[in-house]
Amino acid sequence: MPDSLDQKAQQLYETGQYQEAIPLLEQLISNYSDSGDLIGEINALVNLALVYQTLGDLDQAKQTLSQSLTKLSYLDHTKDRQQLQAQILSVQGQVYLSLGQGEKALSTWQQTSAIYQELGDLTRLTESQIYQVQAYRVLGLYNQASKTLTEITETLQNQPDSKLKSTALHYLGDVLRQVGKFKDSQAILQQSLAIAENFQNQTLIADILLSLGDTARLQRKTEEAIEFYQRVVKESPLPDSKIQGQLNQLSIVITKQEWSQARKLLPAIDNTLTKLPPSKIAINARINLAKTLLKSENTQLKTPKSLANYLADAIKLARKLGDKRGEAEAIGNLGTLYEKQSRLDEAQDLTEKALVIAQEIQAPDLAYQWQWQLGRILNLKQDKKNAIDRRSRSAIAAYSQSLQTLKSIRSDLVAISSDLQFEFRESVEPVYRELVGLLLEPNASQENLKQARDVIESLQLAELDNFFRDACLDAKPVNIDEIDPNAAIFYTIILPDRLEVIVTLPGQPLRQITTNLPKTEIEEQIASVNRDITSLWRALRKENLQTIHDWLIGPIETELANSNIRTLVFIPDGALRNIPMSVLYDGENYLTEKYSIALAPSLQLIDSQANVREKVSVLTAGVTETRPHRPNLGSLPGVKVELENIMAQVPSLILLNESFTESNFNTVVNTSSYEVVHLATHGEFSSVAEETFLLTWDDVINLNELNSLISADQKQKNPIELLVLSACRTAVGDSRAALGLAGVAVRGGARSTIASLWYVDDLATAELMTRFYQKLATGQVTKAEALRLAQQELLQSEQFNHPYYWSAFILLGNWL
């Protein structure tokens, strides 16, 4: 009898009929108890705990596990007892993970691994290691997850195909997607799918198809993603997977504004929702539906029930199952709905309730969202006649708390926002921008200006974290007076309705410059300048260059002159990263004719020490020919001249063509001590770190590899003073591409980087670089000044006086 009951319960569990499995398991526990079969009873209790955990009823799961542990204490220390203890711990880990306690889950699964290792149960050991990977992912430890999974798949590779092998590959595919290796992710997931299809494991097939859809979506292959999601809906035996496939499709069609398609999907989604057993998945599905629809501005999307009802159902279900996180999320989103409907008192009340729960359960990733929402609501409620009233201060306080919470979860944030990168743009970046907008009211106080400046610094840091999917950059507070008493720092931020600039002059109060223009107009003006200076065929309209000069520099020109300022350091925002500040024009001169210019991703990331340069030595490397692995990139005949000219100015080692392989470069960097590394080769910087690369003779070096090549240098007593990337460019029209350039310097350990924003004429580059090293070799000028003097000489020559030739190169990082 127990055997058949056992099998029936197992079958119900595997087909997602969790509620129906509970009475059978309870009957089994009673039967085993009556017959004195302690091992059978503990087994059934563990399975019941797993069902409760799957349903999201974590209190019941914990209670049932506690019962099984009590029963376990009556057993002698045998292999059976060890086996059962490991099974209990395994489910306990799942419970911790559901509660968001990643570290506890990890340590619990490490214990189960130790038991299975001792028992020599390799299958269960592998399962336990796969569970550990779940915890690594929740903790944002993707490198560790990737390493563990690679080891598991290597072990399984030589074994026959199995469900376990497919699961390991599935998880590896997910982790590869999360670290941005989309092609590898797709290949591994396809391998996993083939094995699952062989075993006709429909549940596993559906899960893998969902992952393939997510990977395709991040590769911007939306049609392919929709096909995968449609297969999930069609083939999955479980409503749990079906609903995820349907919701993911809805999210895509709403993003593409395909409203008729969205209207078709809604009744089917509602139908699946009614079939979901009460569980965490059922709660999350209702919340996700509401969130997807809340993002849509289209009011014609009529759902079978109102959004408020879906969220009310989610709240009811979360309370019934004791799912505090689900409750906080559903209540907070109901607050979002009321905020959109301008029911601000109700919105505030709900948001405050959601925030209290999020803080109680220590869920900072939710808490920051509700603090931000509270800030928005208080701002909307403020008395418009009196801009700086109590509510305005309360709004700023709520935003500031949200930012503090975001800072406390820097590494977790990378994990939250890396799977779908656009989430950063939607749910993190606006917190910073909106707070700056609130702080920079007309004639803002010095206190507000200082806070706004710090927020801009933090935003730059958060953007770099998100770009690299890593929170490894250490920010250190820096006083500009201590770095360079002759430098002025320009913090820029483009807000929806204006451009704000905060200027830091040594020993003086901060200055605020506001240009009241819509973001679209500001960006169009910048794009227009970009088109003018990157094309020799267009007429150069200097009035456009003057307009941007007037926005940034005009109002404080006199103060710059009176303060003996020699260097301007820009911390540019958005589209402003795409133009070199050297081309700004005051009506008579370009900015580079008056000042040395540098860019910084953030002042806090600058290695602020001035380096005493006794002699400059350069490691140069380059490729002159078209290579078969990147045939679309043309030859660069001027590179040989460029490197030979540098050698004539300063002591150099040249790695040209065949000698410039990644392994050779790595060896040289690691066994010698050069102050400057100069790479004259094709390269591309894009908004996706993985699409950012440098061409070598035999391969490409991606951004992460370049960072590790530079920073892995053991022989260097001092960091590389300067990394020069000649013949590279940032991706056209990509406002985040320059982040790649900025990141190379600060992340790879080079104190500064010189790179170009677009592909520059071969001959002009050789001229500019020769002159730059001439100036640098004297030891009398800063890096920024050496670049300025080189640019000025080209500007004064008849052949290269157009900005296209001399302005592309920018200096990032330490300018001294």
Side-chain angles (χ1 to χ4, degrees), residues 210-230:
L210 277 169
S211 292
L212 276 163
D214 292 346
T215 299
R217 188 175 181 181
L218 281 175
Q219 289 173 295
R220 300 184 183 93
K221 299 175 181 173
T222 50
E223 294 311 313
E224 201 176 300
I226 285 176
E227 279 174 34
F228 283 125
Y229 296 143
Q230 284 171 340

Side-chain angles (χ1 to χ4, degrees), residues 72 117 147 178 197 200 205 235 238 290 340 373 406 419 536 563 579 599 652 719:
L72 187 74
Q117 184 100 46
K147 189 173 163 242
Q178 284 167 314
E197 285 176 333
Q200 298 181 333
I205 289 170
E235 297 175 31
L238 300 181
K340 281 194 175 250
Q373 185 159 294
L406 276 172
D419 211 5
L536 292 169
S563 305
I579 54 167
L599 269 70
S652 307

Side-chain angles (χ1 to χ4, degrees), residues 42-312:
I42 295 168
N43 242 323
L45 279 165
V46 172
N47 288 336
L48 181 60
L50 184 61
V51 170
Y52 282 133
Q53 181 271 329
T54 308
L55 284 166
D57 193 342
L58 301 179
D59 287 339
Q60 273 297 129
K62 284 196 284 190
Q63 212 176 312
T64 311
L65 284 171
S66 173
Q67 267 178 273
S68 63
L69 281 167
T70 307
K71 301 276 180 190
L72 187 74
S73 62
Y74 301 138
L75 282 176
D76 295 334
H77 288 271
T78 60
K79 276 194 173 182
D80 282 343
R81 186 185 195 277
Q82 274 184 292
Q83 192 85 263
L84 286 167
Q85 186 189 357
Q87 283 172 243
I88 293 167
L89 288 170
S90 189
V91 179
Q92 205 162 45
Q94 298 283 11
V95 172
Y96 285 137
L97 201 69
S98 299
L99 289 164
Q101 297 172 357
E103 281 170 6
K104 279 189 174 176
L106 182 60
S107 116
T108 305
W109 286 325
Q110 282 166 342
Q111 288 176 57
T112 64
S113 291
I115 295 170
Y116 288 132
Q117 184 100 46
E118 196 183 319
L119 290 170
D121 187 339
L122 291 181
T123 304
R124 291 279 175 85
L125 172 63
T126 306
E127 254 175 31
S128 178
Q129 288 168 330
I130 289 173
Y131 285 145
Q132 285 178 48
V133 168
Q134 289 184 345
Y136 287 135
R137 282 166 64 186
V138 164
L139 293 165
L141 303 169
Y142 293 120
N143 287 341
Q144 192 57 50
S146 186
K147 189 173 163 242
T148 307
L149 281 168
T150 307
E151 285 166 9
I152 292 170
T153 47
E154 279 169 8
T155 309
L156 291 172
Q157 214 67 53
N158 305 321
Q159 294 178 20
D161 285 351
S162 63
K163 181 190 169 194
L164 193 62
K165 190 172 183 175
S166 178
T167 305
L169 289 167
H170 175 206
Y171 279 20
L172 180 58
D174 277 349
V175 169
L176 288 167
R177 179 181 66 249
Q178 284 167 314
V179 295
K181 294 182 176 174
F182 304 136
K183 283 181 187 163
D184 295 346
S185 166
Q186 190 178 359
I188 293 282
L189 288 170
Q190 289 287 8
Q191 199 185 332
S192 168
L193 181 64
I195 299 171
E197 285 176 333
N198 249 347
F199 283 88
Q200 298 181 333
N201 187 320
Q202 292 305 120
T203 309
L204 188 53
I205 289 170
D207 288 343
I208 300 163
L209 288 170
L210 277 169
S211 292
L212 276 163
D214 292 346
T215 299
R217 188 175 181 181
L218 281 175
Q219 289 173 295
R220 300 184 183 93
K221 299 175 181 173
T222 50
E223 294 311 313
E224 201 176 300
I226 285 176
E227 279 174 34
F228 283 125
Y229 296 143
Q230 284 171 340
R231 276 190 64 189
V232 173
V233 177
K234 195 175 160 192
E235 297 175 31
S236 172
L238 300 181
D240 297 14
S241 314
K242 266 191 185 15
I243 195 70
Q244 282 173 278
Q246 289 170 320
L247 289 171
N248 289 358
Q249 277 182 75
L250 181 69
S251 171
I252 291 177
V253 298
I254 283 180
T255 304
K256 292 169 79 179
Q257 300 191 331
E258 293 174 354
W259 306 119
S260 64
Q261 199 54 39
R263 277 192 288 276
K264 278 184 203 162
L265 283 166
L266 286 167
I269 288 172
D270 191 64
N271 184 34
T272 312
L273 282 175
T274 58
K275 291 177 182 168
L276 286 174
S279 66
K280 205 172 176 62
I281 286 172
I283 298 163
N284 289 342
R286 287 169 173 85
I287 295 168
N288 288 342
L289 173 62
K291 279 166 79 171
T292 300
L293 292 168
L294 277 169
K295 282 180 195 168
S296 159
E297 298 302 318
N298 188 304
T299 50
Q300 301 162 16
L301 284 177
K302 293 280 178 272
T303 48
K305 277 167 97 166
S306 73
L307 284 193
N309 278 339
Y310 284 119
L311 288 166

Side-chain angles (χ1 to χ4, degrees), residues 703-716:
L703 196 53
N704 289 330
E705 287 165 344
L706 180 64
N707 284 326
S708 58
L709 284 175
I710 297 168
S711 53
D713 173 8
Q714 302 305 311
K715 292 285 163 99
Q716 293 273 19

